Amino acid sequence: MRIGIGFDSHVFQAGIPLIIGGLAIEHTEGLAGHSDGDVLLHAITDALLGAVSAGDIGSFFPPNDPRWKGAASSVFLQTALEEVATAGYRIVNVDTVLILERPKIAPIAGELRERVAQLLGVKPGEVGIKAKTPEGLGLEHTAVAHCTVLLESLKAPDALAHLVASEEAGSEEELNAVVEGLVGGRHDMTALGRKKPFDTDDLT
Ligand SMILES: [Zn+2]
């Protein structure tokens, strides 16, 4: 298993649409950003990339690149999901915290959860959406998102199933090979086939 953490923040700005979790939300202000400013999807994207040590959203989609101006953040999320799949993992669950003064998230929390689950290709029961107001933080015009993800290896069940099915099951060589596969080899993240190398100076 692997764990990832993500964080993002955007400032509210009048006259632009508000998009959170891939959902267009009725409000007088939207979130400013080079892309659509989807603070929640950006935090989830970073958590997924972090969980497989594949860098961060800025290393894949530099904010100064005109290609991503106004881009739907589901494109970023899709890339992170591809990195997770390439590394041989699947999502166990995703938990998030949204911190914003307005609009109130509670009335749309169910819809938001379903939309995020759909974008991630998981069940709504595997996604947590919690909203807080920024009391005492002085962040009345800012939206903040935190995210934690848990991944599990796709290879582990295969390797164990093979061991059980094998006539050689129980032999020392077979057991060592499986243990090597489970514990050793798959931690080599250089085999991820990343689109760009990780650049620590290039952070969103
Ligand atoms: Zn962002």
Side-chain angles (χ1 to χ4, degrees), residues 78-146:
Q78 194 56 46
T79 296
L81 290 171
E82 285 168 14
E83 288 294 317
V84 167
T86 303
Y89 286 82
R90 66 171 286 275
I91 294 170
V92 176
N93 75 307
V94 173
D95 195 16
T96 66
V97 183
L98 268 172
I99 305 167
L100 72 176
E101 185 69 36
R102 278 180 299 273
K104 292 297 173 198
I105 296 299
I108 58 163
E111 194 182 353
L112 195 52
R113 191 171 72 145
E114 287 200 9
R115 178 68 180 140
V116 171
Q118 181 190 28
L119 289 171
L120 289 170
V122 302
K123 300 186 188 85
E126 291 160 351
V127 175
I129 305 276
K130 306 183 297 301
K132 318 286 281 186
T133 51
E135 285 179 44
L137 294 176
L139 294 173
E140 284 71 20
H141 291 97
T142 306
V144 172
H146 296 267

Side-chain angles (χ1 to χ4, degrees), residues 2 9 17 19-20 43 54 71 73 97 106 112 121 138 156 159 166 191 199-200:
R2 295 183 71 97
S9 64
I19 313 286
I20 295 179
S73 296
V97 183
L112 195 52
S166 169
D199 178 1
T200 49

